[in-house]
Amino acid sequence: MYDTLIRGARVLDGTGAPAVRADVALARGRIAAIGGLDGARAADEIDATGLVLAPGFIDVHTHDDTNVIRTPEMLPKLTQGVTTVVVGNCGISAAPVSLQGEPPDPMNLLGDASHFRYPTFKAYTEAVDAARPAVNVAALVGHTALRSNHMDRLDRNASAAEIDAMRAQLREALAHGAIGLSTGLAYASAFDASTDEVKALAAELDAHGALYTTHLRSEFAEILEAMQEAFDIAVHARVPVIVSHLKCAGAGNWGRSQEVLSLLDTAGRMQPVGCDCYPYSASSSTLDLKQVTADFEIDITWSTPHPEMAGRTLAEIAAAWQTSLLDAARRLQPAGAVYHGMDEDDVRRILSHRLTMIGSDGLPNDPLPHPRLWGAFPRVLGHYSRDLGLFPLEQAVHKMTGLSARRFGLAERGEIHAGWHADLVLFDPATVRDVATFRAPVQPAAGIAAVWVNGTLSYRDGVAAATRAGRWLPRAGDLRGSFAASSNP
C-alpha cells in the first residue's frame, strides 16, 4: 500500500530524455516505484491521463531569503510548480547579517531592518526549519551582506582585516551547508570591491567544494570584461562559476548574445561554468540612476517618498513633474523599477543555450512585482517551448530540474528515480501558461494540476494544502563533481 499513486502520466524524468507513460508511486516522502503498477493500491490515487509528471521545478535564482520564514506558504512559487528555491543571490542574503541601521541598497529588496534577524548562518538554517516553508530552501552567502557586517562604508575596497573577518564568516557558513558565495558587483554597495577582494573570499570555497555565483560587474557594454573577471575569480578559487541572469542589457548592447555565449562556451572548455536566465525581456531591481535612459520604458514599482507613483512609467512621472528623467528618478529614491531593456532575440538565444538554467529572479517584497515572480516557469513551458517551439518540452524541464539540481548539489532531487525525494509537479502541457502580467502581476499560473514536496501533496487544482513539507537543504558534497556529471541534451 503506497501513500500516493499517480496513474498514466507522461513522465519527463528531468534528464532531457523523451517522455514515457508510467505510473509513479510515492511512499514516506520518496518515489517508491515507477512503471506499470496495475495491481498497486494507495491512500490517494490520481488519474494523470493526458498530463505530464516532472520533477518539481528548482528556482536557482531567488530573493526569497526572508520570505521562506515570514510567508512560508510561498504561493508565488508553489503555484507554478516550484518545489525548491535557492536564496542568497546577487551578493545579498539574510544571513549572516548584523545591521547597523537600515539594510543598504539592494539588501532592502529582502525586507526592512526588522527582517534581518540572523547574525549567523546557523541561526538562519534553524529559522527555516522552524518555519517549515512549503518549498525546500538552499542558500548562498552574499558578498554585500558580509561587507555590510564589517565595513563602515561600502563605497571603497575592504581592508585586509575586513577581508579576514568576512572570510571567517563565510567559512562558518560553508561549514553549516551554504552552497557558496554570491556577488552583486554591479551595485554601488559592492562596485568598489576589487577583484582581489572577491578572490580572497572565493578562496574559502575550494576546501568545501562550493561554488561562486555572480551578478556581473556590468551587463552593459563591458559585459565581456565582467564575464572574464568572473571566470578569473573562479579559476583562482578552483571552483565552478555560475553567471546570474545572463543578459545583454541596454539598447546599445542588443544583439551581442552570440559573442557573450561564445565567451561562455570558451570558458566552459577550461573550467566548470554555467548560467541562469529568466524568460522575459525586462529586468527588475531598485531604481538605479546609472540605468535611467530614454532608450526604453522604465516602470516604477514602488517609491518610499512617493508611493502614489507606483505603477506609472518614469517618463510619465517626469512629464507630470515637468522635470528630467534623471531628476524624477532622484526624487523617487529609494524606489523600485522594471527596465524594459533587453532584446527578445537575445533572450531567446540565451534561454535556449545548453548551459542555461531557469531562475525567476522574482522580488517577493515588491508591491508591484515583475510577473516573473509568479510566472517564470510556466512561461518557459507554455510560451517558449509549446507556442514558439524554442526547445522541446523535455529540454525545458531539464533546464529547471535535473541540470539545476546537479549544478547546485541538491542530492537525489531534480530527476524522477525510484528512491529519490518525491518533489514532483503534474501539469497539462496543452494549457500550462503564465497568467501574470506587468500590469496585473499577482496571478497564479494556469495548467498546474498538482505539486508534491517531499511526498506531501502541497498544491492541487488551485488550492494550497494546509500542511507544508519543505526543508532546509545543505550543500551535498563537492559541487565540482556534480558539474562534471551534469548532462546537457
Side-chain angles (χ1 to χ4, degrees):
M1 186 78 169
Y2 297 112
D3 297 330
T4 304
L5 187 54
I6 306 163
R7 292 195 179 277
R10 287 176 52 200
V11 177
L12 284 172
D13 65 6
T15 66
V20 296
R21 191 167 302 281
D23 304 327
V24 177
L26 315 181
R28 295 179 294 279
R30 300 269 180 166
I31 299 167
I34 305 167
L37 305 175
D38 294 342
R41 292 291 178 265
D44 185 19
E45 297 192 19
I46 295 175
D47 181 2
T49 303
L51 303 179
V52 169
L53 184 68
F57 305 140
I58 298 168
D59 193 342
V60 298
H61 193 105
T62 83
H63 297 290
D64 296 326
D65 303 53
T66 63
N67 298 80
V68 294
I69 298 167
R70 294 189 288 121
T71 55
E73 299 81 9
M74 293 299 293
L75 291 179
K77 299 302 168 69
L78 194 63
T79 57
Q80 58 180 308
V82 170
T83 58
T84 298
V85 297
V86 177
V87 303
N89 285 281
C90 294
I92 58 177
S93 60
V97 171
S98 300
L99 293 176
Q100 308 305 312
E102 286 299 316
D105 186 317
M107 285 177 63
N108 54 2
L109 291 173
L110 305 184
D112 60 33
S114 68
H115 300 139
F116 289 83
R117 304 174 180 175
Y118 318 105
T120 67
F121 192 79
K122 182 173 183 288
Y124 177 73
T125 67
E126 290 171 348
V128 171
D129 278 335
R132 193 59 177 252
V135 297
N136 302 310
V137 182
L140 298 153
V141 174
H143 170 226
T144 297
L146 296 175
R147 298 188 102 227
S148 72
N149 292 341
H150 300 288
M151 299 177 68
D152 58 345
R153 39 183 261 262
L154 302 179
D155 59 345
R156 62 174 176 83
N157 193 44
S159 69
E162 289 164 342
I163 290 172
D164 286 343
M166 287 190 273
R167 288 184 69 158
Q169 278 198 311
L170 175 58
R171 193 159 53 242
E172 180 183 33
L174 292 167
H176 282 97
I179 297 174
L181 172 72
S182 78
T183 56
L185 299 176
Y187 291 106
S189 51
F191 187 78
D192 289 300
S194 68
T195 304
D196 286 341
E197 176 184 318
V198 182
K199 282 182 175 179
L201 288 173
E204 292 291 340
L205 304 173
D206 182 23
H208 297 270
L211 56 76
Y212 173 60
T213 75
T214 180
H215 177 149
L216 296 169
R217 199 177 290 272
S218 175
E219 296 172 326
F220 293 82
E222 301 83 9
I223 185 170
L224 298 183
E225 294 82 357
M227 289 175 69
Q228 191 57 57
E229 178 189 36
F231 301 148
D232 291 345
I233 290 167
V235 166
H236 173 80
R238 299 187 296 188
V239 296
V241 58
I242 292 172
V243 179
S244 297
H245 44 58
L246 184 60
K247 65 173 75 72
C248 297
N253 225 23
W254 292 349
R256 297 185 64 198
S257 54
Q258 287 181 316
E259 58 181 310
V260 165
L261 292 171
S262 177
L263 180 57
L264 189 73
D265 280 330
T266 298
R269 289 193 285 270
M270 298 177 284
Q271 64 184 116
V273 303
C275 67
D276 66 68
C277 175
Y278 48 80
Y280 298 85
S281 58
S283 62
S284 181
S285 187
T286 51
L287 180 58
D288 179 8
L289 298 182
K290 293 186 296 183
Q291 294 191 53
V292 171
T293 178
D295 291 342
F296 49 79
E297 193 169 86
I298 299 173
D299 303 328
I300 300 303
T301 60
W302 59 271
S303 168
T304 298
H306 295 284
E308 73 280 4
M309 293 301 172
R312 303 183 67 179
T313 69
L314 182 60
E316 289 171 344
I317 296 168
W321 287 348
Q322 296 184 320
T323 189
S324 68
L325 293 174
L326 193 58
D327 182 60
R330 288 194 184 100
R331 289 170 62 179
L332 289 164
Q333 287 188 309
V338 167
Y339 306 89
H340 295 267
M342 288 176 269
D343 178 71
E344 177 65 18
D345 287 342
D346 287 326
V347 173
R348 295 182 190 184
R349 192 172 290 118
I350 293 170
L351 198 61
S352 61
H353 192 272
R354 63 186 180 84
L355 294 177
T356 302
M357 299 170 286
I358 307 304
S360 72
D361 197 15
L363 302 178
N365 299 307
D366 196 320
L368 193 65
H370 189 301
R372 65 195 182 187
L373 177 66
W374 287 81
F377 291 81
R379 183 171 175 81
V380 172
L381 299 172
H383 179 65
Y384 283 104
S385 178
R386 181 191 62 228
D387 299 343
L388 297 184
L390 191 62
F391 33 64
L393 189 59
E394 58 264 29
Q395 187 177 350
V397 167
H398 175 66
K399 286 175 170 293
M400 38 178 92
T401 59
L403 180 61
S404 306
R406 292 188 179 230
R407 291 290 196 240
F408 282 83
L410 306 178
E412 298 183 339
R413 298 181 194 272
E415 297 178 14
I416 296 178
H417 294 299
W420 283 32
H421 298 285
D423 292 343
L424 299 166
V425 57
L426 187 68
F427 65 90
D428 185 340
T431 64
V432 65
R433 65 183 180 92
D434 58 312
V435 177
T437 66
F438 287 99
R439 296 305 172 200
V442 182
Q443 299 191 71
I448 303 295
V451 181
W452 291 264
V453 180
N454 294 306
T456 297
L457 182 61
S458 301
Y459 181 76
R460 187 173 184 179
D461 297 331
V463 178
T467 302
R468 303 191 301 267
R471 300 174 185 167
W472 160 252
L473 301 183
R475 182 188 68 257
D478 191 322
L479 302 191
R480 287 167 290 210
S482 64
F483 261 72
S486 294
S487 60
N488 295 300

